């Protein structure tokens, strides 16, 4: 199982709408609004790293009003 944590910066006031969209995406296991340098934290899981990459690149990063993302890939076996 491939896991990634995506830190998301979005336009001011769009957090709740983006959180709602993220919750509807396949592979998104958790979504949290945050204080600090990033606005949203999302945990993504998939069978393969390639599917994970596709979800992040073609689904999450294409959501309107997301300004930037930072992806942290989990290391299998270090849980």
């Amino acid at each position: 199982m491939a896991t990634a944590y995506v830190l998301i910066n979005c336009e001011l006031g769009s957090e709740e709408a983006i959180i709602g969209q993220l919750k509807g995406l396949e592979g998104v296991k958790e979504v949290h609004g945050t204080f600090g340098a990033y606005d949203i934290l999302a945990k993504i899981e998939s069978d393969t790293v390639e599917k994970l990459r596709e979800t992040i690149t073609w689904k999450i990063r294409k959501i309107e009003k997301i300004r930037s993302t930072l992806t942290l890939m989990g290391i299998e076996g270090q849980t």
Side-chain angles (χ1 to χ4, degrees):
M1 178 73 56
T3 303
Y5 297 89
V6 183
L7 302 168
I8 301 168
N9 278 317
C10 57
E11 292 182 17
L12 185 63
S14 63
E15 296 87 355
E16 288 187 30
I18 291 172
I19 287 170
Q21 290 178 60
L22 289 168
K23 286 181 176 180
L25 294 178
E26 183 179 346
V28 176
K29 300 301 180 187
E30 296 179 34
V31 183
H32 304 277
T34 61
F35 290 112
Y38 293 91
D39 302 307
I40 300 169
L41 168 66
K43 179 180 179 182
I44 319 299
E45 291 181 348
S46 183
D47 294 335
T48 67
V49 172
E50 184 58 36
K51 285 183 184 178
L52 200 62
R53 186 177 299 124
E54 288 177 14
T55 298
I56 295 164
T57 303
W58 300 109
K59 294 179 182 174
I60 294 175
R61 295 195 64 183
K62 299 297 181 184
I63 294 174
E64 191 174 338
K65 298 191 178 181
I66 287 182
R67 285 193 270 165
S68 65
T69 63
L70 174 68
T71 301
L72 305 171
M73 297 290 293
I75 299 172
E76 288 191 43
Q78 291 188 4
T79 57

